[in-house]
Amino acid sequence: MIVAKFGGSSVADAGQFKKVRAIVEANADRKVIVVSAAGKSDSEAIKVTDLLIEVEKLRDAGEDYMPVYNHIQSRFVGIRDALGLKVGIETDLQKIAKQIPNCSHDYLVSRGEFLTAKLMADFLGYQFIDAARFLVFDQNGVNYGESINRLRDFLSYDDHIVVPGFYGVDEDGLTHLMPRGGSDISGALLANFVDADLYENWTDVSGIKMADPRIINNSRKITELTYEELQELSYMGISVFQEEAIQPAKEKQIPIAILNTNHPEEDGTLVVDSANSNAHQLVTGIAGKKDYVVISIQKYQLNKRLDVMAKVFSVIQKFGVKFDYVPAGTDSVQFLAKRTDVDGKLMAIVNSLKSACDLDSVKLEKNIAMVAAVSSQLSKRPAIAGKILDLLDNSQIKIHLVVQEGSDIKVVFGVANSDYEKTIEKIYRSAAVSATRLKMVI
């Protein structure tokens, strides 16, 4: 069995619905379909989810939200009519409109997926199952046992189903939203629940690129990579696949295929437990994020001063900010965080560290970008990190910090925001292997 998830761009209008049906009908194993809310299209500049968020903002501000909601209604009715469907979507739209004045954020924002899935189920001739009827979250996250038991009852009736992504319910039966991009998670959970042979994630790109195509023109596509490599790349900023969607598939060794709804004939990226990597291509992918701050603290033999570190962590905890921290030697540690996470608190944190922790020095660096080179080859050839450092040094790119974590498949370089694109380009140009050249040039 194949679980196929279609993102917002894949279900944006009637034309995209037709592409989805052609894909589903091309393989009889595609029985479980998960959809996002209708996304942007040539005629619609705003995603349905963002329109629903705008409705909520207007409601909370005491302003008239009906013009925006009327546009949402006309969009779904338009898709229904263009496809010649008979499903009475107006009834659902009216019910939602009555709920808006008092409904929760999670309920309102999830209605885009709900309505899109209703239309898709009718279009495919599949059974529609509201995720709220089986996908249960408790205080520990997804309740796998309860969710599988509830889903099993529906599948015993008909195993050709369409499910809205992005939400489920909590133990009290109230709508529970996942993070943005949560439909990827819904698809992975369904794949896990039904022991799928393959989880297909259909979007508007033909797989994952080795580097951001906005920085690297014609960036090479990654044909195959491991769950761990995808996890690290997702964490570091690639937006093709939601990081939290990896574990449910990995747990049961279900391959993930990332494919293009607009070009289903093209090969995408396959995610598996152990990739058939090219030993000469030492970097699988490069990703990064801008706008970090780095606080460097120094104290003689800090690695032996647990009392000092306890004070440091106490100060940071007081401000409620999540920092990552990296030992930088026997005498120093570096703390890093997204600038947006410390806005309004940064200087207070620095001043508290200086006054309360008996440190030799506290230094602050702003406007730092983190660039990660990810590859399973890093664990086999640790000299790669040194080669990349030499490359960046020769390119006169200042390295503010280096992090190589215990996973041994990722090395992260801290550089100035202004050097972010240059750093990615230098690593890519030196690490990518062309079809005719199989030798690393770093």
Side-chain angles (χ1 to χ4, degrees):
M1 180 184 290
I2 296 173
V3 173
K5 175 262 174 180
F6 292 89
S9 62
S10 301
V11 293
D13 56 31
Q16 293 300 96
F17 268 61
K18 292 176 182 178
K19 293 177 183 179
V20 169
R21 185 165 71 176
I23 290 168
V24 172
E25 292 179 345
N27 190 328
D29 289 334
R30 292 184 178 118
K31 296 180 179 181
V32 178
I33 309 301
V34 179
V35 296
S36 298
K40 296 179 184 179
S41 69
D42 291 340
S43 60
E44 294 286 350
I46 304 176
K47 301 175 182 179
V48 164
T49 298
D50 291 328
L51 290 172
L52 289 165
I53 291 172
E54 181 63 22
V55 167
E56 181 183 37
K57 289 179 179 178
L58 292 169
R59 179 200 68 181
D60 293 347
E63 299 180 24
D64 184 9
Y65 55 76
M66 282 308 298
V68 178
Y69 188 69
N70 287 337
H71 180 73
I72 295 170
Q73 293 188 96
S74 65
R75 184 168 178 182
F76 281 108
V77 171
I79 293 173
R80 190 271 312 272
D81 293 346
L83 296 173
L85 304 177
K86 302 300 183 183
V87 59
I89 202 76
E90 290 91 348
T91 301
D92 293 303
L93 288 162
Q94 291 167 9
K95 179 180 177 181
I96 294 166
K98 291 179 181 178
Q99 297 289 329
I100 291 174
N102 300 303
C103 71
S104 69
H105 166 83
D106 286 16
Y107 172 83
L108 181 57
V109 175
S110 70
R111 295 307 86 188
E113 279 74 13
F114 174 86
L115 294 166
T116 304
K118 273 245 172 156
L119 292 177
M120 184 61 73
D122 194 52
F123 189 50
L124 296 177
Y126 279 27
Q127 177 188 188
F128 168 76
I129 303 179
D130 187 354
R133 299 185 67 184
F134 73 89
L135 184 52
V136 182
F137 293 82
D138 58 27
Q139 65 272 18
N140 298 314
V142 178
N143 186 325
Y144 277 75
E146 181 64 22
S147 299
I148 292 170
N149 285 336
R150 293 188 186 188
L151 178 62
R152 188 178 291 122
D153 292 337
F154 294 107
L155 295 177
S156 65
Y157 169 73
D158 184 357
D159 63 357
H160 291 73
I161 63 174
V162 174
V163 177
F166 192 32
Y167 71 94
V169 291
D170 63 20
E171 293 176 292
D172 296 321
L174 301 175
T175 305
H176 174 88
L177 273 188
M178 302 178 203
R180 285 298 290 263
S183 292
D184 289 354
I185 304 172
S186 297
L189 288 170
L190 264 295
N192 181 295
F193 293 168
V194 303
D195 293 315
D197 301 301
L198 177 66
Y199 171 36
E200 295 178 338
N201 193 281
W202 293 87
T203 179
D204 55 2
V205 294
S206 299
I208 298 173
K209 299 293 186 180
M210 186 175 172
D212 189 336
R214 294 169 296 184
I215 299 173
I216 306 295
N217 291 327
N218 301 313
S219 174
R220 287 171 55 85
K221 181 179 68 180
I222 303 172
T223 303
E224 193 173 283
L225 74 166
T226 66
Y227 299 114
E228 288 79 10
E229 288 172 327
L230 178 58
Q231 184 96 35
E232 297 292 359
L233 288 170
S234 296
Y235 175 77
M236 288 303 300
I238 68 161
S239 57
V240 177
F241 197 79
Q242 228 283 350
E243 178 190 354
E244 294 178 37
I246 298 167
Q247 185 58 33
K250 177 185 175 183
E251 184 179 273
K252 291 192 174 179
Q253 300 293 288
I254 300 167
I256 302 168
I258 299 171
L259 302 160
N260 190 339
T261 303
N262 300 315
H263 296 284
E265 75 284 356
E266 295 182 359
D267 292 331
T269 295
L270 186 66
V271 186
V272 291
D273 182 52
S274 179
N276 295 316
S277 58
N278 185 330
H280 296 282
Q281 183 171 318
L282 301 186
V283 175
T284 300
I286 307 155
K289 302 175 185 178
K290 285 185 175 181
D291 295 327
Y292 278 82
V293 299
V294 178
I295 299 174
S296 300
I297 65 171
Q298 190 165 21
K299 176 74 174 179
Y300 177 65
Q301 291 192 330
L302 182 61
N303 63 325
K304 298 179 181 179
R305 295 296 304 273
L306 296 182
D307 58 325
V308 174
M309 288 303 299
K311 290 180 182 178
V312 169
F313 286 119
S314 177
V315 166
I316 289 174
Q317 186 178 26
K318 180 178 68 175
F319 288 92
V321 175
K322 181 183 181 298
F323 278 93
D324 292 322
Y325 64 95
V326 184
T330 58
D331 298 335
S332 59
V333 171
Q334 293 173 307
F335 293 85
L336 54 150
K338 288 288 288 183
R339 177 187 55 78
T340 51
D341 292 340
V342 295
D343 274 348
K345 302 177 181 179
L346 184 57
M347 291 314 301
I349 293 171
V350 170
N351 290 333
S352 292
L353 288 171
K354 288 180 177 178
S355 63
C357 299
D358 189 29
L359 298 167
D360 293 341
S361 68
V362 179
K363 297 180 180 178
L364 172 65
E365 293 179 286
K366 301 179 181 180
N367 302 315
I368 301 297
M370 309 303 294
V371 177
V374 175
S375 174
S376 58
Q377 292 289 328
L378 283 166
S379 61
K380 303 171 185 176
R381 304 181 69 174
I384 295 172
K387 292 180 179 179
I388 297 176
L389 275 170
D390 287 342
L391 166 73
L392 298 179
D393 183 57
N394 292 337
S395 301
Q396 296 185 326
I397 296 173
K398 180 182 178 182
I399 305 298
H400 294 257
L401 76 160
V402 180
V403 185
Q404 186 157 14
E405 298 177 346
S407 64
D408 286 334
I409 68 166
K410 177 179 72 175
V411 57
V412 181
F413 303 94
V415 300
N417 276 347
S418 56
D419 284 331
Y420 175 72
E421 289 82 2
K422 182 181 178 182
T423 301
I424 289 178
E425 184 175 0
K426 288 294 181 182
I427 296 174
Y428 175 84
R429 297 298 178 198
S430 299
V433 178
S434 71
T436 58
R437 194 171 81 188
L438 300 178
K439 182 178 179 181
M440 275 292 294
V441 295
I442 302 180

